[in-house]
Amino acid sequence: MIFKQILPIIWRIFDLICYLAALITINWAMFSLNQTAGAVTLAISFAITGLVSELIANNTPKGGD
């Protein structure tokens, strides 16, 4: 019973860690190529992260009765 409640929380944290690790790796690799490619990739990463956070915020229940 408790595993059904804890497992989704652990899975969300794991997903977040994998997402951040992927962003860090991609941005680091692009900055290793050259500074312009790194800056463009960083901007795209911020845009995607912002879009995802807005989509999540719009789909969450607003509370109340």
Side-chain angles (χ1 to χ4, degrees):
M1 188 88 171
I2 190 142
F3 291 112
K4 288 183 181 181
Q5 295 173 348
I6 292 177
L7 193 59
I9 295 170
I10 293 172
W11 197 252
R12 286 183 186 172
I13 294 170
F14 179 73
D15 283 342
L16 179 64
I17 290 171
C18 286
Y19 176 74
L20 291 174
L23 283 181
I24 290 169
T25 303
I26 289 169
N27 287 309
W28 175 73
M30 287 298 147
F31 270 111
S32 294
L33 289 176
N34 64 34
Q35 195 170 13
T36 304
V40 170
T41 307
L42 193 62
I44 292 170
S45 297
F46 285 143
I48 291 172
T49 302
L51 178 65
V52 169
S53 68
E54 285 295 320
L55 291 174
I56 290 172
N58 289 336
N59 288 330
T60 56
K62 298 296 183 209
D65 291 335

